[in-house]
Amino acid sequence: MDELTEEKLHSLEEKAITARELLITTLLEAGSGHSAGPLGMADIFTAFYFHILNHNPKDPNWEDRDRLILSNGHICPIRYVSMAMSGYFPQEELKTLRKINSRLQGHPHRTVLPGVETTSGPLGEGISQAIGIALAAKLDDKTFRTYCLTSDGEHQEGNTWEAIMFAGKYKVDNLTVVVDRNNIQIDGFTENIMPLESFAQKYESFNWEVIEVDGHNIREF
């Protein structure tokens, strides 16, 4: 990861604005798709694809690349936009979102789009998948990191907490999980549907190091 200079920070902030503009254009062209989650995660994805990840868009299957797992697959339009902006495929292809035979479906499909690590749709599976990849890296003496992006609502899934406990026990320290704590899900506010607080303390109780940041302030990442 390069040093985050003021010049680099300004460039990332500009890219995040461009990503939001492209996202809206893409969704309008598709005539459907999620908007709130992808817009809310634009800064996060920009930071990953243009600053944090060790990756190569020209060689998406590079063995030593960092792995980015998207658990909440419905926000994939912002991932597609970020991938297009960083050179995985032409930006013109964004116009095919959710079209028949498009590589850019409403949930990401691993086998049709190079650079997508896992097929995701059913919520609550991403951390488990990421743990498997991270443990495999340790067994193979690989130094890449695995990152998993998740929603807060999917933490109402039991298997999510099984995965969190597992990672804590086995010290899967080459894994970083990012939780979009936006407090909303399809049926309303998380704390009304199934309360999650005290959220950070729950992770900490399972031996995780927790850092809380403003997801719209790239400087904090």
Side-chain angles (χ1 to χ4, degrees):
M1 186 189 306
D2 298 331
E3 179 185 358
L4 185 58
T5 63
E6 288 299 320
E7 182 179 3
K8 180 67 177 292
L9 177 63
H10 179 71
S11 173
L12 290 171
E13 291 171 341
E14 290 293 316
K15 280 182 169 63
I17 292 171
T18 300
R20 287 185 172 93
E21 293 171 346
L22 268 175
L23 174 67
I24 293 298
T25 301
T26 299
L27 292 174
L28 285 172
E29 180 72 26
S32 65
H34 295 268
S35 58
L39 285 169
M41 290 291 281
D43 299 294
I44 297 288
F45 273 92
T46 298
F48 269 109
Y49 275 94
F50 295 97
H51 179 59
I52 297 172
L53 287 178
N54 185 22
H55 67 128
N56 183 357
K58 302 305 180 187
D59 185 11
N61 295 318
W62 174 42
E63 186 175 349
D64 293 321
R65 70 192 182 280
D66 287 340
R67 269 61 167 181
L68 182 64
I69 309 305
L70 179 59
S71 185
N72 47 333
H74 59 281
I75 72 165
C76 64
I78 189 59
R79 181 174 197 170
Y80 296 153
V81 165
S82 302
M83 291 175 69
M85 288 177 61
S86 58
Y88 280 88
F89 56 86
Q91 291 187 23
E92 187 71 14
E93 191 172 347
L94 292 170
K95 294 181 179 179
T96 71
L97 176 68
R98 300 173 72 97
K99 301 285 198 306
I100 294 176
N101 297 323
S102 171
R103 298 193 297 175
L104 312 181
Q105 287 301 310
H107 289 84
H109 196 313
R110 182 185 65 83
T111 62
V112 299
L113 186 63
V116 170
E117 302 291 349
T118 58
T119 297
S120 55
L123 290 172
E125 298 179 356
I127 300 179
S128 296
Q129 294 169 327
I131 289 170
I133 293 170
L135 285 176
K138 284 178 173 289
L139 290 172
D140 293 338
D141 293 321
K142 295 294 184 180
T143 59
F144 67 80
R145 282 201 72 79
T146 299
Y147 299 91
C148 182
L149 305 187
T150 73
S151 63
D152 51 3
E154 67 186 293
H155 283 73
Q156 296 162 354
E157 302 268 0
N159 60 330
T160 295
W161 291 105
E162 292 177 47
I164 292 166
M165 286 189 286
F166 182 96
K169 176 181 178 180
Y170 291 102
K171 297 180 172 57
V172 188
D173 55 5
N174 57 343
L175 167 67
T176 298
V177 170
V178 178
V179 182
D180 179 16
R181 184 64 169 125
N182 61 12
N183 295 289
I184 56 174
Q185 58 191 99
I186 195 168
D187 291 326
F189 294 105
T190 58
E191 300 314 288
N192 293 333
I193 305 300
M194 185 59 67
L196 294 168
E197 294 296 347
S198 52
F199 202 8
Q201 287 84 348
K202 288 175 181 173
Y203 263 90
E204 289 170 340
S205 71
F206 295 132
N207 300 317
W208 284 67
E209 178 184 3
V210 177
I211 301 172
E212 296 184 78
V213 302
D214 177 356
H216 302 299
N217 185 351
I218 294 176
R219 187 187 299 275
E220 296 191 13
F221 306 165

